[in-house]
Amino acid sequence: MDLGSILYLGVTFGLFVIFAWIVIKTYSRKNRDRNEEAKYRMLDDD
Amino acid sequence: MWEKRPILFLILATAAIMTGTTITMIVPFLSVNTEADRIESVKPYTPLQQEGRDVYIREGCNNCHTQTVRPLVSEVLRYGEYSKSGEFVYDRPFLWGSKRTGPDLARLGGKYPDAWHYKHMASPRTMIPGSNMPDYGWLSKNPLDPDLARRKMKVLDFPYTEKQIADLATKNEMDAIVAYLQKLGNDIPWRKAAQTTIVGDLKNPFIGNKDAIEAGEHLYENSCAPCHGEDRQGEIGPELTDIDMDDADLYEIIHNGISDGGMPAFGSLGSEKVWQLVNYLKEKDDD
Amino acid sequence: MDTPQYNTDIVRSFILWSVIWGLVAIVVGLVVSVQMTNPELNFPPYFTFGRLRPLHTNAGIYGWAVGVIFATFYYIVQRLCKVRIWSDKLATFQLWFFNATIIAAAISLLLGFNTSKEYHELEWPVDIMVVVLWVAFAINIIMTIIKRQEEQMYISLWYMMAAIIGVAILYLVNAAEVPVSLFKSYSIYAGTNDANVQWWFGHNAVAMVLTAPPLAMFYYFLPKTTGVPIYSHKISIISFWSLIFMYLWTGTHHLLWTPVPDWIQTLAMAFSLMLIAPSWGSVINGYLSMKGQWHQMRDNYLVKFLIIGITFYGLQTLQGPMQAIRSFSAFIHYTDWVPAHIHMGTMGWVSMIAFASIYYLVPRIYGKELYSIQLANLHFWLILIGQLIWSISLWIAGVLQAGMWNAMNPDGSLTYTFMETMVEMYPYWWARTIGGVIFLAGVLVFVFNLIKTIRGGESLVSSAVPVEGRA
Ligand code: HEM
Ligand code: HEM
């Protein structure tokens, strides 16, 4: 493997890790309910 | 959490936006338009050509015409050698376009004689029936501004002579746009290289064939009449009523064109159609 | 809780002006469409196809779409933050400066002051006006968000903020040019670099003007009209961040097979395909929010606009990635297929959502009942049919044209000359004009309905507007 492909795979892998981290954090138990609050509150403004 | 902190949110969003931007838009500056791309024979625009380019931009010709030939078989056949990065190093802005309502113009330079362009620009439909290109004859009433042109050449850092600038006073926008069109794609010697040498014996397959002659006449009206006249009486190209050439030579001229003389090549029509033309041209001789 | 005094005047004015510029865009669109079939209708120097087409696109994107963005964002941001906008004066300045900019843009384009860069045709003095306008808008929205009374920011606010900085970055970078005179400048980038920068801008103008803001509207107005919350806040977290991250890699899919380096093209192709996921994240979120509410498609005209709009967005984001594949691009790039893609987006997605938003807002800010729901339904069907005729006829045209451009004889020569392919387009261009006339008729019905609502219209008895399906 040349430097280009290592870089390419590295970047791809790094991006994937960041993505997985966001998904896990979003769906973690801690956040389960708290994250959904805004969608109810936006209904009662006017 | 970012959902509760707008400033943090803005920073994160900027970072997200800048990642792809950096890699696909900023990094390429390191490798594109560098020395590696440069082509020796590609020259900057002269004052007259640059003026023409600016008319092209002002009139929005790029809304109907592209200026890049892609490396695809049919496209190279139709327009010529595919485009190279080094051919565009003096293009500010680039004019590749995104829609081909009209044909690509990247390899236009040298395809037609100047006279063809003057006539076509003034009235596309009298030359090419069915065209929807607007008439641009009014451009020839507009003078050029030498002082502005000098300023442009300075900003662009292109070489020029005071004589070139002074000459602009005697020219109009139509002269400028024709000069520009004749430069397009012409800085690399692709036309000569693209000429196929015709191998083997050239034998006329249709001698005396009435259908072939009729097909040839139809082709002539579409492809040749704009230059050689409805009745082959000659206009931009010479008259073709009295040809004394053998079939093979005639075939070669139509197939390859006469690149220095302003006769385009019609090899992309295919040998069958070229032979039909040969037979049409010869037939009328015998009348 | 006492309700804050919201600024609705600014929303009113932006709605009014965006509808006016929208009408201009559509009428000029019809003119250029007719010019393609009847070139004798070019009137030089000011009214030729080459000058009017940029006027059409600029009026459509910067007059209509951006006008609606200004109107809806000012409405939404106040409700979601539960405060009045940060500065009324700045907003009023922005309104008049917006109109001044659009007028300056229209005049300068007709005069031929044009940089040639698509969606960035405006010459440098007008460019500066656009920047001032956007900065005024950005400050007002961001400051309002900062002093909000509601801790957690709802989805729509994210898309709004992303669009605001996105447009700022894109516009400034692509605007880099050296002036030669008051009305002429040269790009500081050259050739292939210039192309790459331009389409990084061009595609992300689609992302930051024609995708993120209508999504902000969709995420706000759908729950508001149906009365049930959006299905999942979490799905939208994932799809939001993926969307704004991925979009920026894809600009070069407009430049496949050109001299731009291959690796950038490949990245653009890959990221375009991946974009299906976050795009459909929003589509699915919208559909799932309709669970148990599908009857509202029949009962509530607003829901119809919103759901058909998001459906066109879904189709658009499947078709787009397909066009970004090299082999498919080789075929349809430069043909009439592409305008069909564009107008499914602008007429089917952006305009549908914009109409829905305006129908939602006008009764509320004028305190009047909508004049006629029947007319709103008529409007819906006319623009839907008009848009479908527009796009379907040009998809057929594009495939036909591409097929003819590539057709070869057994001996390796081309089957058709360029003109033989071009004259085949005329019937489809005519069909497009007819589709456009039907669309315009629909919009006129809409305008009539609005005028009747504002002028006459029954006053609303209570302040809570009775929306069907919500009571
Ligand atoms: C009655 C409605 C409309 C008609 C008849 C119409 C017509 C046209 C025509 C004829 C073109 C030129 C296509 C070509 O060069 O082949 C065009 C391009 C375009 N229109 Fe429209 N249009 C309409 C509505 C809209 C709206 C509402 C928007 C925006 C919100 C819009 C945005 C655009 C854009 C962005 C392009 C550029 C296409 C490209 O770059 O290839 N149009 N339109
Ligand atoms: C995943 C999302 C999308 C992808 C991957 C995508 C992809 C593409 C591609 C590859 C082209 C170039 C076609 C060609 O010239 O061969 C294109 C053109 C275009 N698309 Fe999309 N598209 C997407 C969504 C949208 C949306 C939502 C809109 C909203 C209106 C839109 C508006 C446009 C416009 C205006 C152009 C014309 C650019 C020009 O002037 O050439 N696209 N798109």
Side-chain angles (χ1 to χ4, degrees), chain A residues 15 19 23 26-27 31-32 34-46, chain C residues 75 79-80 82 150 152 154 220 223-224 229-231 233-235 237-238 242 245:
Chain A
L15 290 175
F19 179 72
V23 174
T26 309
Y27 280 87
N31 284 330
R32 177 160 294 167
R34 217 188 38 185
N35 267 349
E36 300 285 338
E37 281 160 24
K39 80 180 187 197
Y40 297 107
R41 266 203 311 279
M42 65 83 69
L43 282 173
D44 50 55
D45 48 26
D46 297 318
Chain C
Y75 182 88
R79 317 283 140 159
L80 288 180
K82 302 224 164 54
E150 177 71 51
Q152 193 175 1
Y154 179 67
Y220 182 82
K224 281 300 200 183
I230 196 77
Y231 171 73
H233 190 85
K234 284 184 191 133
I235 291 187
I237 294 179
I238 311 281
S242 320
F245 177 78

Side-chain angles (χ1 to χ4, degrees), chain B residues 3-4 21 24 33 54 58-59 63 74 78 85 91-92 94 98-100 130 132 138 151-152 268 270, chain C residues 36 44 50-51 112 118 148 152-153 180 186-187 190-192 194 196 233 334 336 406 413-414 416 426:
Chain B
E3 277 173 276
K4 297 178 180 168
T21 297
T24 63
N33 281 3
D54 288 340
R58 188 190 70 202
E59 295 313 323
N63 287 298
S74 56
R78 190 179 298 283
S85 187
D91 286 13
R92 289 171 56 183
F94 81 114
S98 66
K99 173 84 204 301
R100 280 182 188 154
N132 70 354
W138 52 278
R151 231 173 322 145
K152 288 176 177 173
S268 67
Chain C
M36 284 179 75
R51 294 191 188 187
E118 266 183 281
R148 73 197 180 287
Q152 193 175 1
M153 295 184 289
V180 215
Y186 292 114
S187 173
T192 308
D194 195 41
N196 199 43
H233 190 85
Y334 304 132
D336 277 287
N406 287 299
S413 57
L414 296 170
Y416 301 102
Y426 281 114

Side-chain angles (χ1 to χ4, degrees), chain C residues 207-255:
Chain C
M208 300 301 172
V209 178
L210 304 177
T211 298
L215 281 174
M217 299 173 206
F218 178 77
Y219 276 115
Y220 182 82
F221 291 113
L222 184 74
K224 281 300 200 183
T225 25
T226 58
V228 283
I230 196 77
Y231 171 73
S232 167
H233 190 85
K234 284 184 191 133
I235 291 187
S236 53
I237 294 179
I238 311 281
S239 52
F240 170 79
W241 288 104
S242 320
L243 188 89
I244 64 160
F245 177 78
M246 288 183 196
Y247 243 106
L248 282 295
W249 298 68
T250 58
T252 308
H253 64 212
H254 292 266
L255 296 169

Side-chain angles (χ1 to χ4, degrees), chain C residues 23 41 73 86 106 110 124 144 154 180 194 217 224 246 283 305 314 354 357 423 447-448 452:
Chain C
L23 277 175
L41 295 178
F73 280 21
W86 181 67
L110 290 182
W124 67 274
T144 308
Y154 179 67
V180 215
D194 195 41
M217 299 173 206
K224 281 300 200 183
M246 288 183 196
V283 179
F305 278 90
S357 308
V423 293
V447 171
F448 174 77
K452 281 301 225 183

Side-chain angles (χ1 to χ4, degrees), chain B residues 98, chain C residues 118-119 199 206 253-254 316 320-321 323 333 338 341-342 345:
Chain B
S98 66
Chain C
E118 266 183 281
Y119 317 131
W199 283 112
V206 168
H253 64 212
H254 292 266
Q316 185 81 352
Q323 292 166 184
H333 192 37
V338 182
H341 166 73
I342 296 165

